[in-house]
Amino acid sequence: MRNMAEDELAAFRERWKKELTSKKGEQRLVCAPSPSWDVPGQSGQRDLKNRYFEDLKNLNKACTPSKQEEGGCTEDEVCVGEGGGKSAAESEDQPEYVSIARSLLDGRTSPLLGRIQEERTRRKRQYDNRTGVCSASLQQQQQPQRKAKKDEELVDQLIQDLNEVNDIPFFDIELPYELALKIFQYLNCTELGRCAQNRVGSISQLQFELGKVLCDVSSCDNFVLAGYTSGDVRLWDTLHWDSAASYLKPNSLSANTDPRPHVSHVQVNSTVAAAAYEDGCVDLWSTETGGEPIYHYQSPGRIQALALSPDSPVLGSAAGPDVRLNRADDHGYWRTVCQAQLPNTVESLVLVPGRGQQCPLVALAAAETVHLLDPRDDEPRTLHSVYGHPVTCLDASDSHVALGVKSTGWAMHDGGNKIHVYSLETGKPAVCVGNSPGDFTCINLRDSPPHLLVCGNKDRRVRVFDLRAGSSVASLYAHHLGVTSVQADDWKIVSGGGEGLVCVWEMRMGAKLWEMHNRHPVRHVRFNTSTLVTANIPDDKSPRGACITDDDLTAHRRHRGVICHYDFSEDALSQDHILPICRSDYTESYGYNYNISLAVPYDRLSGSHPSH
C-alpha cells in the first residue's frame, strides 16, 4: 500500500509538470460526457446527485454561454471553454482533493457517499493503467486492502444509520462529506459512539466587567448574586436576562468611602438579596425591584459569616463573637429579633430551613463548639463541644445538623476525622460517620436526598453516607487539590475542587460523566432539575493587573474569577464553535431515556446569551 501511494504521488507530480509546460494555445472547447458520474454499479444513486449535476452544469454555462448555445451539449455532457477550466479528460486526471475544492467553489459543501466511491474506483483504475501493477502484487495486497475496505464500510454504515434514524443529514453544510469521513476513519468504536450522543444545553458566563475580582457568589432558584472587590453587587435573573433589578446600589456610607470596601459575603433567596462589606455594613435588597437597599445595618467589626433562609425572610450575620438575627414582619418591615454574644469567634452560621412562619433557628460553629440560637431562649444552647476537636464545616436540614470534626493532637487515637449528625428534635447525636485522615471541608445535608449526606474532604475524595445505616454509599477520588464544594441528588453528584474542576458523577456506578475546568477554586455549586450554577472564586483578591485601568487587561480577566450558568432545559440550535460532525439531535425518547438532567456529557454548550 505504501508503494502504491508513492507511485501515485509520483504520477501526480509528472502530470502536474506536464500541465505547467503545456502550451496555452492547445486549449480548445471540448464537449464530452462527464467521465466520473456514469460509473458501473452507481446508476441507482443518480437521483441523489441531480442537484449537484445542475449546479455544476450552471457553473459551466456561466463560464462559456455562447459556445454552449452553439455546440448544443446534452444534459449528460460537461462544457468547458477556453480559460474557463480543464477539459473533461483533464477533469478525470484530477486528484480527489482538487475535486473536493472544485465542489466547494461550486457552492456545494456536502457531496454524497456515492461520489466518494466513484472517486475511489476512478483513481484505482487510473493507477492500474499508469503504473501497470501486476496482478500478483495486487493479490499480495488484497488482505490489507480488504481490511481497510471493511473499516470504511463500518464507518459508512454508521453514518447511514444516523441519517436514517434522524431523518436529517448527519453532516450539514459546514463540513464536506469527504473530510468528515476521513476524520471518522481515525476514531475507534468508543469515540464514534460519543460523536453520536445527543448534546443538549447551553452555557453562559455571567460577567460584570467593572466588578474587578469576584469575591462571593450565591444562587437560589433563577437568581444568581455576586459581589466584587470594587464594592459592586450584581444580580442576574436567569429567566429574565433584561431585568431592571440586575444592578444593586450600595448604601451611602459604603458608596462614599474611598476606596470602596470589598464585598465579603452575599446571599440570595427568591425574594431578597443580601451583601456584607469589609467595613461591617450589611445591605438588603428586593429581588423584584433592585436599586436602593430596603434594609441596612452596620456591625462593629468585619462580618465573618452571613446566612439567608432559603424559604423565609430571615437574615443572620456574625461579626467576631457577636451574632445578629433579623426578620421581616407581616407588613414587610425588617427588624432585629435577636442579638447574642458567644465565647469564641463565630466561623460559620447556618439557618435551619423549613421553619416557615415559625421562630427562626440558627446553628453556629465557634472553635470546638456548635450552638443553637433560638430567639425565644435567653442563651444559645450548646449542641456539640469536644476539646481538641475543632469544627471544620457545618450544615443543617429541617431535622438534623451535621458538622465535620477534626482530630488533632492526643485525640488522633480515636480513628481520624469524623462527621457528627445531631437531631434537632432531641438535641442528641443521631449518627457518627467517616474515618478520614484529611479534614472535612464541605458538607451538604440540606439539598441531599432523605437519609443521605454528601461531603468533601482534603484527602481529595467525595463521600456519600447513608445516615440510617451509618455506612458509606460512595467514595470517589475527585479533586487532587481537595474538594471545596459538593451537592448530590438521588443518582448524581456535582463536586468542585481547589484546582478549578467541576465534575459530575453517577453515584451508583461511581463513574465520572463529564467535567469542566476554569481557573481558581470552585467555591459555589448548585443545581436543580434543569440548571447548574458554578463559581470559581480567586483566593487572591488583589493580584497584579487586576485593576480595570491597568494595561494588562488579559491578566485582569485571568485573575478575576468566573460564574458559569448551565441550562440543560434548552436544546441549543446555534452551535457556532462545535463541528456538526460531532453532534446530532435525536428526538426518540425511548432510545435515550438515560439522557436526563446531567446524565450525558453535554459537551455541545453554546452561549445562547451573548450579551452576558
Side-chain angles (χ1 to χ4, degrees):
M1 294 298 291
R2 181 177 179 182
N3 294 333
M4 181 177 178
E6 292 177 352
D7 293 339
E8 185 179 4
L9 179 59
F12 166 71
R13 289 173 175 170
E14 185 65 27
R15 293 198 308 273
W16 190 20
K17 183 178 180 180
K18 290 180 180 180
E19 292 174 4
L20 293 176
T21 58
S22 62
K23 297 181 180 179
K24 296 183 179 179
E26 295 178 358
Q27 299 180 357
R28 62 183 182 275
L29 177 65
V30 178
C31 290
S34 176
S36 58
W37 309 142
D38 297 328
V39 177
Q42 300 296 328
S43 59
Q45 299 185 6
R46 292 178 61 85
D47 293 339
L48 298 177
K49 309 186 189 78
N50 287 340
R51 181 178 177 184
Y52 182 78
F53 298 157
E54 293 174 2
D55 293 343
L56 183 59
K57 186 167 60 179
N58 292 336
L59 177 64
N60 294 327
K61 289 180 181 179
C63 293
T64 58
S66 60
K67 293 292 183 180
Q68 188 174 359
E69 292 175 1
E70 295 175 7
C73 297
T74 64
E75 291 186 358
D76 293 334
E77 295 176 339
V78 179
C79 296
V80 184
E82 265 185 46
K86 295 188 173 105
S87 66
E90 291 172 341
S91 177
E92 183 173 357
D93 293 338
Q94 289 178 348
E96 184 178 3
Y97 67 86
V98 176
S99 177
I100 296 174
R102 288 194 62 189
S103 67
L104 294 175
L105 293 175
D106 290 343
R108 184 176 184 278
T109 58
S110 184
L112 296 175
L113 182 61
R115 162 68 189 243
I116 301 174
Q117 186 62 37
E118 293 170 1
E119 290 292 327
R120 291 195 185 119
T121 304
R122 181 185 62 78
R123 292 180 61 189
K124 185 177 183 299
R125 184 175 66 250
Q126 184 182 39
Y127 171 78
D128 293 341
N129 294 337
R130 289 184 177 274
T131 61
V133 178
C134 63
S135 59
S137 299
L138 292 176
Q139 291 177 358
Q140 293 177 0
Q141 299 175 3
Q142 186 175 2
Q143 293 300 326
Q145 288 178 355
R146 183 178 303 170
K147 185 176 184 299
K149 184 177 180 181
K150 181 179 179 181
D151 294 340
E152 294 171 357
E153 290 176 353
L154 289 176
V155 175
D156 297 342
Q157 186 62 43
L158 171 66
I159 298 170
Q160 292 176 358
D161 292 344
L162 292 172
N163 285 337
E164 291 174 1
V165 171
N166 210 31
D167 295 329
I168 61 173
F170 185 63
F171 305 117
D172 60 23
I173 61 173
E174 297 181 29
L175 192 66
Y177 194 97
E178 292 92 336
L179 180 58
L181 187 60
K182 287 189 177 296
I183 293 175
F184 262 165
Q185 291 175 345
Y186 292 95
L187 304 182
N188 57 33
C189 293
T190 302
E191 293 166 338
L192 290 173
R194 289 172 180 170
C195 289
Q197 292 195 38
N198 192 4
R199 275 76 171 159
V200 180
S202 65
I203 178 174
S204 303
Q205 287 193 357
L206 310 184
Q207 298 180 352
F208 182 54
E209 300 290 342
L210 301 179
K212 299 184 181 179
V213 179
L214 187 63
C215 292
D216 194 22
V217 174
S218 176
S219 64
C220 180
D221 298 333
N222 55 298
F223 293 108
V224 180
L225 184 67
Y228 297 87
T229 57
S230 63
D232 294 307
V233 180
R234 178 70 187 268
L235 175 69
W236 287 274
D237 185 348
T238 58
L239 294 182
H240 307 91
W241 292 98
D242 57 348
S243 173
S246 60
Y247 183 71
L248 307 178
K249 298 180 180 179
N251 63 85
S252 57
L253 179 61
S254 298
N256 295 328
T257 303
D258 189 22
R260 290 176 59 182
H262 296 181
V263 178
S264 56
H265 303 279
V266 295
Q267 289 285 300
V268 66
N269 62 18
S270 58
T271 58
V272 293
Y277 300 87
E278 293 285 343
D279 60 356
C281 291
V282 177
D283 288 340
L284 193 71
W285 299 269
S286 167
T287 57
E288 182 178 357
T289 60
E292 298 290 341
I294 60 174
Y295 184 64
H296 164 76
Y297 66 89
Q298 186 170 12
S299 297
R302 182 181 182 274
I303 301 294
Q304 300 289 339
L306 184 71
L308 188 62
S309 175
D311 48 21
S312 59
V314 179
L315 175 68
S317 63
D322 299 317
V323 182
R324 179 168 177 167
L325 197 60
N326 301 273
R327 185 177 184 178
D329 58 22
D330 297 336
H331 301 285
Y333 294 101
W334 285 78
R335 61 186 182 88
T336 302
V337 295
C338 179
Q339 285 184 302
Q341 189 174 40
L342 301 180
N344 299 306
T345 299
V346 177
E347 297 172 355
S348 56
L349 180 153
V350 177
L351 283 164
V352 176
R355 303 287 292 181
Q357 298 300 320
Q358 303 179 35
C359 189
L361 184 62
V362 185
L364 306 162
E368 304 159 346
T369 307
V370 174
H371 303 271
L372 287 180
L373 177 61
D374 189 330
R376 296 170 297 184
D377 298 335
D378 296 334
E379 295 290 337
R381 289 182 292 148
T382 299
L383 184 68
H384 169 92
S385 182
V386 178
Y387 179 77
H389 291 65
V391 177
T392 58
C393 51
L394 178 70
D395 197 24
S397 66
D398 55 357
S399 59
H400 291 86
V401 172
L403 51 126
V405 173
K406 179 178 181 179
S407 296
T408 58
W410 60 269
M412 288 293 292
H413 70 277
D414 62 358
N417 303 297
K418 298 182 182 298
I419 292 179
H420 296 268
V421 181
Y422 287 82
S423 170
L424 288 174
E425 182 179 2
T426 63
K428 297 185 179 296
V431 66
C432 179
V433 295
N435 186 12
S436 169
D439 299 344
F440 287 100
T441 55
C442 53
I443 296 177
N444 195 321
L445 180 64
R446 186 185 70 180
D447 302 311
S448 298
H451 311 296
L452 290 183
L453 177 148
V454 59
C455 59
N457 198 287
K458 282 186 177 180
D459 67 358
R460 312 173 183 180
R461 288 190 171 272
V462 172
R463 294 177 173 86
V464 180
F465 294 100
D466 187 340
L467 300 182
R468 294 167 296 184
S471 60
S472 174
V473 175
S475 179
L476 308 171
Y477 184 87
H479 304 275
H480 66 272
L481 292 183
V483 185
T484 54
S485 56
V486 69
Q487 184 183 346
D489 63 8
D490 292 334
W491 62 273
K492 64 179 175 290
I493 306 169
V494 180
S495 63
E499 75 288 341
L501 274 178
V502 174
C503 300
V504 181
W505 309 83
E506 211 285 333
M507 186 187 305
R508 290 161 290 191
M509 296 186 300
K512 183 189 294 185
L513 300 180
W514 61 269
E515 65 183 23
M516 185 69 70
H517 178 265
N518 285 291
R519 291 176 180 270
H520 311 299
V522 181
R523 300 297 182 187
H524 179 81
V525 163
R526 184 166 298 277
F527 69 84
N528 55 29
T529 55
S530 60
T531 62
L532 167 66
V533 176
T534 66
N536 296 71
I537 301 176
D539 291 329
D540 186 2
K541 298 300 189 293
S542 301
R544 180 181 178 272
C547 179
I548 196 64
T549 59
D550 288 350
D551 295 333
D552 190 1
L553 294 181
T554 302
H556 166 67
R557 297 187 183 95
R558 183 170 65 249
H559 293 298
R560 68 188 177 196
V562 64
I563 307 170
C564 292
H565 175 265
Y566 303 81
D567 185 0
F568 300 103
S569 64
E570 178 179 347
D571 187 1
L573 298 178
S574 60
Q575 306 128 32
D576 298 334
H577 60 290
I578 300 297
L579 290 177
I581 189 176
C582 296
R583 67 172 189 259
S584 61
D585 298 318
Y586 293 104
T587 57
E588 293 81 358
S589 59
Y590 59 84
Y592 291 89
N593 285 333
Y594 61 85
N595 186 20
I596 0 179
S597 298
L598 308 179
V600 177
Y602 296 89
D603 49 3
R604 193 193 77 178
L605 301 173
S606 62
S608 61
H609 310 291
S611 61
H612 307 287

